[in-house]
Amino acid sequence: MYAQMVDTGLAKVEDLDALPPAERAFPARIDADVKIEPQDDMPEAYRRTLVRQIQQHAHSEIVGMLPEGNWVTRAPSLKRKAILMAKIQDEAGHGLYLYSAAETLGVSRDAMTGDLLAGKVKYSSIFNYPTLTWADIGAIGWLVDGAAIMNQIPLCRCSYGPYARAMIRICKEESFHQRQGFDIMMAMCAGTPAQKAMAQDALDRWWWPSVMMFGPSDAQSVHSAQSARWKIKLLSNDELRQRFVDQTVPQAEYLGLRIPDADLAWNPERGHYDFGAIDWDEFYAVIKGHGPCNRERIEVRRKAWDDGAWVREAALAHAAKRAARTDDAAEAA
Amino acid sequence: MSAVAAIEVPSRAATHAGDASLDEALLALALRQADSPLVLAQRLCEWIGKAPILEEDIAQANVGLDLVGQARLWYAYAGEIEVRMGRVARGEDDFAFRRDASAFRNVLLVEQPNGDFAHTIVRQFLFDAAQHLALDALARSRDARVAAIAAKAAKEVDYHVERSADWVVRLGDGTAESHERMQRALDALWPYTGELFDADATDLALAEAGFGVDPRTLAAQWRETVDAVLADATLARPADGYVQRGGRDGRHSEHLGHLLCELQFLQRAYPDARW
Amino acid sequence: MSTDTATPPRAEWPLWEIFIRSQHGLAHKHVGSLHAADAAMAVKNARDVYTRRNEGVSIWVVRAADIHASAPGDKAALFDPANDKVYRHPTFFPMPDEVKHL
């Protein structure tokens, strides 16, 4: 998902009964669904894990602007251009809300940006794939945002107050993102043969990366279990993935597009779609930096950050001058 | 009326019962008003995901969205005028995506490349300050559609100019480096500002009829605004020298062709597709 | 003009807490935070970040560092004493059904 494989720093899931009495208050509050707020006492591992998770999530929004930004200057109509601009702008906003949530945990946005640029913190692997045609913009909205919403809605109930509140705002705003993606796909599937072929090609290229986006099965993961215990991960990767496949297959059928998975079939016993084996080698290769666009994405962010340094610095210098002038004026009066 | 001569005129003769030459002038006005915001919005799109700070990315997108919206309103009106004149109806996308550079009527200033953030901000401010005055005047047009579109756009541009002026001051009077960058941008873009206040036969005919505004009448006030902001910004107004002009008549810099290549790619490559 | 990455980390724009009053006559409500060089810029940024969907008609900005909060450790002392003052709530006073407008 937008935050993949977040390390809790713990070797095994905390056992409430084994904890010394002084440390039981926190898990008890979590169990009672009491929201944790920035000033509250919290275990260091909880705080660190949240910082990692929220930060990854925020970076994903910011890096996620780039593959779509790749087409905003080439959007095929003024209406589509305006919609895409507004959508990418929302993503900047969502990154901002998430950075703010992480900042309540005592880490600065600049420090988080530094971690992203230094490659110390990941962002969602999906954004390391290229957008090659306009249909990719449709596919991203339909599939990637569709998958993201699925993960984000449960996070509105997560245990950390500022994160939950950020997610509520994000989910509210994001509701149009998936629809605009599907709307692009509908227009292309109802269009010329070339457009339909573009739409199919986009699905062919984005399907598996989208399915992988949920991350490897976490049934055995200590970190996932602990995060679930802390209520900062509410559904397992496999559960979310299954929901995504179940929801998306009929949508693809409606579009008249073929999902590139020969093993995809409805399983009446399970009441779910079965799907083929995921190429986790590819997933790990992309995570490690070998995706088609890893280097470019970070390079663009680094250049933007470096090129903007003089602007940020000048704004601060000017603010200091203004404040000094106001003070002088106040003294004179 | 050289500004209009370059527009491809479909073969059907004008059947409009009213003053055909006035419609021709109104059409030129609508396209000039549409093309500048569109081209500037396209430039702002190039910044998406790359602004100096996240807050600025969001703010700039708002400006860009306003500009695209303004262009759409003017194109819609241009299409109506053409229909009124008995020509083949064109929609907003026909205007934006299916005309070559020589048919574009934007001022040269807005097609200049983004450069660094200083160039982008100075370009924005010089344009906003003029546009703000032009739209205020057009909001009093005797043509109801012109007045309505201008009034809506004026509200948006009021905010744009406030924002861009604020940045000019902050960066002009920021650090030594920012000051130097801003002065350089101002010097580079200044020759494109003269065109903002050129008046041709079209402008004069429209002003005469109470439909448009004579741009020359806006120059003094623009200069006042610009001088005040530059003073706060500790920047020196460049000396007036040779003026780069021609955009409003379809004679553009080399930059516009490249900008349109990108803007128009899909509509040109797939002319029969609907998106 | 140096983009030398060896330069020391520069200061960050301060963090501001943003409060928006919506159209329906409610009080200003905390909506989130953002960075800005000063208050004037914070108001503009808040307009662009937090009112993109007609959310507000008025904006307050407060430097995050200027907010003084109650200490979580004092929660019991601060808030528990209000628990037994039930007479502050109208439902504490049962009224006969036939008496109206109370």
Side-chain angles (χ1 to χ4, degrees), chain A residues 122 125 128-129 212 279-292 294:
Chain A
K122 304 287 183 209
S125 53
N128 289 316
Y129 290 89
M212 283 178 211
D279 179 4
W280 291 113
D281 289 345
E282 176 181 325
F283 176 79
Y284 286 110
V286 174
I287 290 264
K288 284 196 186 99
H290 307 301
N294 296 57

Side-chain angles (χ1 to χ4, degrees), chain B residues 47-267:
Chain B
W47 269 105
I48 286 180
K50 297 162 193 156
I53 193 162
L54 205 41
E55 282 79 357
E56 183 58 20
D57 228 310
I58 296 168
Q60 222 170 42
N62 272 346
V63 176
L65 281 167
D66 285 344
L67 294 174
V68 172
Q70 291 169 17
R72 295 178 71 183
L73 291 173
W74 289 116
Y75 286 139
Y77 187 40
E80 288 169 31
I81 297 170
E82 286 192 326
V83 170
R84 198 155 80 195
M85 295 169 78
R87 296 183 188 166
V88 176
R90 286 195 281 182
E92 57 178 30
D93 290 337
D94 296 314
F95 288 115
F97 296 94
R98 301 293 177 99
R99 285 179 305 154
D100 202 348
S102 61
F104 270 74
R105 292 290 177 266
N106 60 282
V107 290
L108 298 177
L109 177 65
V110 293
E111 71 197 45
Q112 299 311 304
N114 286 341
D116 63 0
F117 191 68
H119 279 77
T120 294
I121 282 298
V122 170
R123 182 184 64 198
Q124 187 76 43
F125 169 64
L126 296 173
F127 177 73
D128 289 345
Q131 191 67 352
H132 157 75
L133 297 174
L135 289 169
D136 272 354
L138 289 176
R140 295 188 298 270
S141 169
R142 278 184 51 228
D143 185 278
R145 294 280 280 121
V146 168
I149 297 171
K152 179 181 185 296
K155 244 191 275 176
E156 296 166 348
V157 175
D158 276 357
Y159 182 70
H160 299 177
V161 71
E162 191 185 317
R163 221 185 73 82
S164 56
D166 190 50
W167 264 122
V168 169
V169 172
R170 286 177 189 282
L171 297 177
D173 186 23
T175 60
E177 180 187 353
S178 71
H179 178 86
E180 192 196 320
R181 283 177 182 266
M182 290 297 281
Q183 188 65 55
R184 215 180 310 149
L186 189 59
D187 293 347
L189 293 168
W190 193 255
Y192 298 99
T193 57
E195 188 190 18
L196 302 171
F197 307 103
D198 278 349
D200 61 10
T202 306
D203 296 310
L204 297 182
L206 286 168
E208 174 90 0
F211 284 7
V213 56
D214 177 352
R216 292 173 304 183
T217 61
L218 307 174
Q221 212 185 332
W222 177 82
R223 194 165 275 242
E224 221 172 276
T225 308
V226 169
D227 279 347
V229 170
L230 294 187
D232 279 352
T234 71
L235 293 168
R237 169 151 58 78
D240 291 316
Y242 188 78
V243 174
Q244 296 291 344
R245 49 169 55 96
R248 298 169 81 243
D249 296 322
R251 283 179 286 107
H252 291 277
S253 61
E254 289 181 345
H255 304 297
L256 185 65
H258 294 282
L259 180 144
L260 294 180
C261 269
E262 201 168 334
L263 176 81
Q264 299 178 337
F265 159 67
L266 281 170
Q267 291 260 352

